Amino acid sequence: MQTVRGVGIGLRRALAEALFTSDAPEVRWVEIHPENYVSRGGYFRTMLERAAERWPIVTHGLTLGVGAVEPPEAGYTRPLRALLHELQVPWHSEHLCFSGTDGVMLHDLLPLPFDEQAIDTACARIRELRDSLELPVAIENISFYAHLGTPRMSELQFLLEVLERSDAKLLLDVNNVYVNAKNHGFDPRKYISSIPRERVVQIHVAGHFTRPDGLVIDTHGDAVRQEVYDLLEHTLRHAGEVPVLLERDQNIPSWEQLHAELRRLDEIYQRATGVSWA
Amino acid sequence: MGLVDQQRNAQAVCLRSEPPQQALAQLGDRRGWLVYREMVRTRLRDEVELGLRRSCRVAGQQAVTQTLDRYLEQVPPRTRLFREVACHFGRTVAPWWKADASLPAYLPDLCLYEVAVWEVADLDDRNHPEVVELAFDRPPVLSPALRLLALGHVVHTQPAADGGYTAEPCFLAVHRPADDRMVQPWRLNRLSYDLLCLWQAGGVSVTQAVQRVGQAHGLPVDATFVDGLCTVLADFIEKGIILGSLGAR
Ligand SMILES: [Fe+2]
């Protein structure tokens, strides 16, 4: 199993060449979406092999949202398991959300109702996934723009209940906490301080965008904001030495700009955790 | 309301050509769910327009919008693999476009050709059985990164000055050589196309396929035929379309 420390970046086709050819010692691992590599040849396979030669890899799924009413089909989890074991990932993460029902796949991350039935469903999916992948499973807190029905508890209570009852790990997306705090009116630092630090295995940071009507959207297509860097520092002081990933999926800037963000994240990581690479 | 009904409501708001008012009312957060509707539809449309760039340009914004509305409402994607969405859309809507007299007659062929190119770029070329040197009494093994198309327009070339494509039977092998990112179309004659189709289906030796195809076309399998066949086979082997013969199992 690979050891993952420090700052990583999401492997994307649009930035892969720059990543491979640049000298960026701040990048200590990469994250992939396994759906983009399962049973795939061509450029994506080559890209993955090049990345795996150089860095530890962590996998972050996009379609096994643990709020799905139906368990996932073995036709997908079997090749997924094979890929994860081939890459020797330390854990696999999915989102605390659903992405469709009755066999339809919307290819988006939709929020769950914050209630008992959704908690039970998520816990069942997490246990099944852990069993079929034979790996620790982490879930990510999503950004959400609507409630599905009347909430019976806060998003934080919902997340903590699922973590506790399923014994899952947490991929804590700091930008999502920030976005949700803005849209739904809570204190993001209090939210993060309430999370048991031993649950957190990985952190995400990304950029967001504020619409003219004030709604904040998690885009993965903008630079990381100062408020999110500050919240990351708070998170690392609370959670300790947890690897941090920069997510950038759209509107990919120059490598110099991305590299500057990675350097900044690495500085925060070292300062907040007391780790020194030197 | 149970979890599955809540999810069905959310899904209907995202997929129906008009968001159902009852579902929106039951979900309770109108603005938020319309944001999700927009996000879901935009993401899927962007992917379709990326994979089927030329077809969408020919169809035009309005036809793409209408087709996508119908697609999402009637046969939404079920695949987990995002890269397959454009292929699923293209294969689903090509017959719809064929039935629509207001669209160019070559559009369904262009669409199926783009689907094949998009798909072949990602096929796993290593996913094939063990191969030995080509022998006539064994089934040949074809490259897994291969799609065979029988079209009615020559859509793999540049369009004519008026933007259209010549209407005539056009048989294509859309192929990606091993370790190569570039997908290439090869135009085939009817005989070669039929042979490759038989071999791709599997279980048929070189000789058996030649006999069947010769018979179907009313051609005598004589020295001239075999000469021509050897040239074609050598060409397919050189291009990496035929990898060899199926090894002992
Ligand atoms: Fe994230």
Side-chain angles (χ1 to χ4, degrees), chain A residues 200-230:
Chain A
V200 189
V201 290
Q202 188 184 335
I203 290 169
H204 272 175
V205 288
H208 58 259
F209 159 80
T210 305
R211 301 198 325 176
D213 66 357
L215 187 70
V216 185
I217 304 270
D218 167 40
T219 56
H220 297 186
D222 297 86
V224 179
R225 301 295 170 95
Q226 181 58 48
E227 302 90 310
V228 174
Y229 282 120
D230 293 344

Side-chain angles (χ1 to χ4, degrees), chain A residues 60 140 173 176 204 220 247:
Chain A
H60 179 48
E140 176 180 348
D173 190 312
N176 289 349
H204 272 175
H220 297 186
E247 291 188 291

Side-chain angles (χ1 to χ4, degrees), chain A residues 20-35:
Chain A
F20 291 144
T21 51
S22 70
D23 179 31
E26 295 82 8
V27 175
R28 292 187 156 78
W29 55 285
V30 300
E31 183 194 81
I32 63 160
H33 300 312
E35 286 88 345

Side-chain angles (χ1 to χ4, degrees), chain A residues 172-191:
Chain A
L172 179 56
D173 190 312
V174 171
N175 185 57
N176 289 349
V177 174
Y178 181 84
V179 165
N180 291 340
K182 280 280 165 205
N183 289 335
H184 303 287
F186 61 81
D187 179 348
R189 288 176 181 250
K190 258 192 200 156
Y191 178 109

Side-chain angles (χ1 to χ4, degrees), chain A:
Chain A
M1 190 186 294
Q2 303 266 18
T3 306
V4 178
R5 296 179 73 199
V7 173
I9 188 163
L11 184 64
R12 307 288 182 264
R13 184 178 192 150
L15 57 80
E17 284 306 323
L19 175 65
F20 291 144
T21 51
S22 70
D23 179 31
E26 295 82 8
V27 175
R28 292 187 156 78
W29 55 285
V30 300
E31 183 194 81
I32 63 160
H33 300 312
E35 286 88 345
N36 291 342
Y37 302 90
V38 162
S39 313
R40 195 173 200 175
Y43 180 68
F44 275 78
R45 184 77 209 181
T46 310
M47 183 166 83
L48 179 59
E49 284 168 357
R50 285 176 73 185
E53 274 170 20
R54 204 160 146 192
W55 298 286
I57 297 208
V58 167
T59 47
H60 179 48
L62 294 173
T63 62
L64 293 176
V66 296
V69 175
E70 305 108 351
E73 66 288 2
Y76 176 62
T77 54
R78 222 180 293 121
L80 173 65
R81 182 194 176 282
L83 179 70
L84 306 192
H85 285 260
E86 179 192 329
L87 295 170
Q88 299 185 289
V89 301
W91 58 81
H92 172 70
S93 62
E94 292 285 345
H95 297 87
L96 184 53
C97 75
F98 78 102
S99 293
T101 191
D102 300 319
V104 170
M105 183 50 64
L106 298 173
H107 293 281
D108 217 315
L109 311 172
L110 308 187
L112 295 168
F114 302 146
D115 64 19
E116 281 295 324
Q117 195 190 0
I119 292 172
D120 288 344
T121 302
C123 291
R125 293 294 90 79
I126 291 166
R127 286 189 207 103
E128 290 158 7
L129 195 60
R130 197 159 47 210
D131 289 348
S132 59
L133 299 180
E134 297 179 273
L135 277 169
V137 165
I139 52 169
E140 176 180 348
N141 56 304
I142 61 163
S143 45
F144 67 103
Y145 312 107
H147 283 286
L148 189 55
T150 313
R152 306 287 173 204
M153 60 190 85
S154 70
E155 187 234 353
L156 175 63
Q157 282 171 301
F158 178 70
L159 174 68
L160 294 179
E161 281 298 320
V162 172
L163 290 173
E164 188 60 32
R165 293 195 213 170
S166 66
D167 197 24
K169 301 296 181 190
L170 177 64
L171 192 180
L172 179 56
D173 190 312
V174 171
N175 185 57
N176 289 349
V177 174
Y178 181 84
V179 165
N180 291 340
K182 280 280 165 205
N183 289 335
H184 303 287
F186 61 81
D187 179 348
R189 288 176 181 250
K190 258 192 200 156
Y191 178 109
I192 283 167
S193 300
S194 311
I195 292 170
R197 63 195 301 269
E198 66 279 5
R199 293 268 172 218
V200 189
V201 290
Q202 188 184 335
I203 290 169
H204 272 175
V205 288
H208 58 259
F209 159 80
T210 305
R211 301 198 325 176
D213 66 357
L215 187 70
V216 185
I217 304 270
D218 167 40
T219 56
H220 297 186
D222 297 86
V224 179
R225 301 295 170 95
Q226 181 58 48
E227 302 90 310
V228 174
Y229 282 120
D230 293 344
L231 195 56
L232 170 68
E233 184 147 1
H234 171 81
T235 306
L236 286 168
R237 288 190 193 283
H238 169 66
E241 203 193 313
V242 176
V244 175
L245 183 100
L246 176 63
E247 291 188 291
R248 187 71 187 240
D249 295 330
Q250 309 174 48
N251 196 17
I252 307 273
S254 70
W255 176 252
E256 286 66 35
Q257 261 174 284
L258 273 182
H259 193 182
E261 289 194 343
L262 291 161
R263 267 199 302 265
R264 185 132 180 232
L265 292 172
D266 191 47
E267 282 162 21
I268 294 170
Y269 184 90
Q270 293 190 58
R271 188 167 64 233
T273 63
V275 168
S276 168
W277 305 119

